[in-house]
Structures are given as structure tokens and as C-alpha cells.
Amino acid sequence: MAAYLCHDAPDLLTFEAGVTDSRPGAVVLDRSAFYPGGGGQPPDQGRFVWQGGAVEVTSLEQQGGRLWHLLAEPLELSGTVEAQIDPDFRFLMQQLHTGLHIVNALAFQAFDGALVTGANISGDGTARIDLDLPGADNQRLRDMEPAMNDVIDQDLAIKTFALPLAEAARERGTLRSKAVTPPPQPDGSVRIVEIAGLDRQACGGTHLTSTGESRHLRILKVENKGRHNRRVKIGLEEL
Ligand SMILES: [Zn+2]
């Protein structure tokens, strides 16, 4: 989990940046507040604007420690651009990622320490999480929906901070993923996302600043994935 500008400046959605490398249809900037993707959350989308032109940024790709912004057209850019992160897409990702934390926090409590084996957030307003819950009654997972929306209605504050990896490893449930321990930042710490009074876990994603900013959630489906895993699919309630 590297240190990202989108962590330090979560509200920075429009910024000027210099092009430091380019090939047709892809650009590296001297700084970027785009979320690069990871942890089941897709990269930010947006656009670059410059004098006399504009192009959509459709995705991002990390290569050799550098972040390539992939463009919708095979342009080769230079100089300075104004980068604009799509605020609606970012907000959708924040709601769904925080929603997954609410689901896995409630499951962790209800099922005595269920770990996460996978997660995926989609641009269509849904997201899924796989939980290591051998023998679990799927109906109990389906029944969590009112409790999820109760957490949203309580408008709990969400904050992020750094914790030394060794400390995070000692605290039960803070490293929630069964598959991977998030790689520490250069200073040996991991980024923690805390929902006040409910949950804290290591995570590199973009989140809301309080649960009340989210639309209500629905549990769309609970299914078995193999012997151990339960897959919970959630979606944002229609407006
Ligand atoms: Zn997360």
C-alpha cells in the first residue's frame, strides 16, 4: 500500500500537473490525485484539459512504480494539463467501498471474526465481497440489511490514519483480508480506515467521511462460492 495523493488530499479532484512521460494514449504526471485502483476498487476516471484540447482518462495502470493514465484516444501529450477527476464516479466508489466495510464489519461481529477473501466494486452501482464463512446460514447474511442501513442512518464519522504494521497485526481483525496482508508504506505503517464505534481495518481505498453521506444499501444476493466462501452482493438503493 503506497502513499497516494488521494489519501492525503481526498477532496482534490481538479489539479494542474506536468507531463513527465508519454506514449500514444498514455501519460505519466509529476503528481496525480487519481486513485490508481486496488483492493477491489477500480481506478478513478476523469479527463485532461489543456489549451485547445481535452481527452477522457479511462483507466490507470501501475508499471515499475509509475502511474500511467490511459487515454480514450491515442494522443501523445506534453507540457501541463489540468486533470479533472470524475466526481460522480469517485463518490459512487466511496459509497460502495464504505458499504463493503459496513457489511464486513457486521459479518465480523455476527460470525465471530469472518475474514475477507475477495472484494470487487463495480461502476454499475453494485459491489461484492467474499467472506470466509464455512457453514454459515446465508439467511443470516441476508438479514443484515436493516443493520447496514442503521449504520448509515447513525451517520458515523470515518477517518483514516497510519498504524505501524506490527501494531495492526496484533489487533484482532485489523488485517481483515485472509488472502493478503497489505504491503506497508515506506515508513513501515499501514493505512487504517475507521468507522467510529463500528470498525477499523487496513485499507487503501477511497471512503466517505461519514456513513450518512451514503445512499441506503440493499443486499442483492448471497451465494456460496466453494465450500468456505459466502459471496454477498450489495447495491445502492435507487434514488
Ligand atoms: Zn477497504
Side-chain angles (χ1 to χ4, degrees):
M1 198 187 302
Y4 300 142
L5 183 55
C6 62
H7 291 164
D8 299 331
D11 298 326
L12 183 64
L13 298 180
T14 299
F15 56 96
E16 293 233 319
V19 174
T20 57
D21 200 357
S22 79
R23 49 181 160 84
V27 166
V28 178
L29 300 177
D30 57 6
R31 66 178 193 137
S32 178
F34 279 73
Y35 180 66
Q41 182 183 334
D44 274 326
Q45 302 172 0
R47 64 206 305 251
F48 292 159
V49 179
W50 61 93
Q51 213 162 15
V55 67
E56 302 297 314
V57 177
T58 55
S59 190
L60 285 94
E61 205 174 85
Q62 296 200 78
Q63 235 175 53
R66 296 197 310 164
L67 185 61
W68 287 91
H69 301 70
L70 307 184
L71 311 177
E73 296 164 55
L75 302 175
E76 207 155 345
L77 302 183
S78 62
T80 302
V81 296
E82 182 181 276
Q84 302 172 347
I85 294 167
D86 180 340
D88 296 334
F89 186 80
R90 169 69 75 83
F91 183 49
L92 180 65
M93 293 299 112
Q94 288 172 302
Q95 291 179 81
L96 289 167
H97 202 146
T98 295
L100 289 183
H101 281 217
I102 294 171
V103 172
N104 90 44
L106 294 174
F108 189 79
Q109 292 173 1
F111 294 92
D112 193 29
L115 293 180
V116 176
T117 52
N120 190 63
I121 302 172
S122 166
D124 68 1
T126 68
R128 61 174 163 78
I129 188 162
D130 293 341
L131 299 163
D132 183 27
L133 284 174
D137 174 1
N138 290 358
Q139 192 57 42
R140 280 182 66 199
L141 286 162
R142 288 187 199 102
D143 290 345
M144 291 193 319
E145 187 178 291
M148 285 159 50
N149 289 320
D150 194 44
V151 168
I152 291 174
D153 292 339
Q154 286 176 51
D155 198 16
L156 304 176
I158 301 168
K159 62 174 185 175
T160 63
F161 54 93
L163 204 63
L165 178 60
E167 204 176 310
R170 273 199 303 274
E171 202 178 296
R172 184 170 177 268
T174 302
L175 303 178
R176 189 72 51 85
S177 173
K178 194 180 182 186
V180 281
T181 302
Q185 302 185 25
D187 66 358
S189 69
V190 287
R191 179 175 182 257
I192 304 294
V193 175
E194 178 176 273
I195 302 176
L198 178 74
D199 184 56
R200 52 198 269 175
Q201 58 180 287
C203 174
T206 64
H207 284 269
L208 302 170
T209 53
S210 96
T211 59
E213 294 166 16
S214 180
R215 269 150 65 186
H216 274 186
L217 297 166
R218 294 209 167 285
I219 292 182
L220 302 174
K221 198 196 259 187
V222 177
E223 58 183 337
N224 295 2
K225 281 282 157 187
R227 230 156 46 91
H228 281 265
N229 290 320
R230 296 292 182 275
R231 175 166 292 179
V232 181
K233 187 178 179 188
I234 63 168
L236 291 172
E237 201 167 73
E238 298 295 327
L239 287 175

